Amino acid sequence: MGSTAGLAGVVTADTIRARIAVTSWEEAVRASGELLVRAGACEPPYVEAMEQAVRDLGPYIVLAPGVAMPHARPEAGVVRPGIAVVTLDTPVPFGHAANDPVDLVIPFAAVDKDAHLATLQRLVALLQDQTALDRVREATTDEELCTALGLEAQDTQTN
């Protein structure tokens, strides 16, 4: 999958989960953000800041139908750049008039506005490729999700 080349090393087995069960957007942000904390990309206050950003600014993070990309300011607790990819077992509303409900959550931690720009561009390319996006949404296991993202098994075993 050429559109996702370069995700390896940024998106790893530690930051991928397929079909997690949540009942609200808050749980979706916390569960996906926790993957970034566990991977050492950010501190717990960063996850709280992602949630607070949605409360303060609204569902601006829902960028496409069914897709949310939570993030916060780097000073909220970013340790190093990181991106997680999480699919939800049951889509949840984030309050976005056009793009709810959300079933794909892609939180990211960036040390500055330029960090991970290339990776984010590849993720956007993925979102624009309906066939690739369908494969991501249809993945029922973490391994299938890795494959759908174009990650090799060895890429997902390093962290």
Side-chain angles (χ1 to χ4, degrees):
M1 179 181 316
S3 63
T4 58
L7 293 179
V10 177
V11 180
T12 69
D14 291 339
T15 58
I16 291 176
R17 291 294 177 269
R19 305 281 175 107
I20 67 168
V22 298
T23 59
S24 66
W25 71 262
E26 293 94 336
E27 283 184 39
V29 170
R30 284 192 297 266
S32 61
E34 181 61 30
L35 296 176
L36 294 176
V37 172
R38 286 190 209 151
C42 65
E43 301 289 338
Y46 185 77
V47 178
E48 295 166 18
M50 290 193 302
E51 196 175 330
Q52 190 61 47
V54 176
R55 283 195 189 95
D56 292 345
L57 303 172
Y60 73 99
I61 62 168
V62 183
L63 302 176
V67 180
M69 297 184 74
H71 57 279
R73 299 181 61 86
E75 58 269 24
V78 173
V79 175
R80 63 174 178 78
I83 297 174
V85 178
V86 172
T87 60
L88 305 180
D89 190 44
T90 302
V92 295
F94 273 64
H96 194 283
N99 295 329
D100 268 348
V102 168
D103 65 344
L104 178 59
V105 183
I106 306 171
F108 64 94
V111 294
D112 60 50
K113 67 179 183 179
D114 297 324
H116 275 31
L117 187 58
T119 300
L120 288 172
Q121 288 172 333
R122 289 180 184 100
L123 283 169
V124 169
L126 169 72
L127 300 177
Q128 293 173 337
D129 180 342
Q130 190 60 49
T131 300
L133 189 56
D134 288 347
R135 283 194 298 265
V136 167
R137 286 188 158 124
E138 292 168 0
T140 59
T141 67
D142 296 349
E143 293 77 19
E144 289 177 4
L145 185 52
C146 285
T147 300
L149 291 168
L151 300 173
E152 300 294 327
Q154 62 197 27
D155 294 331
T156 62
Q157 301 299 317
T158 57
N159 288 340

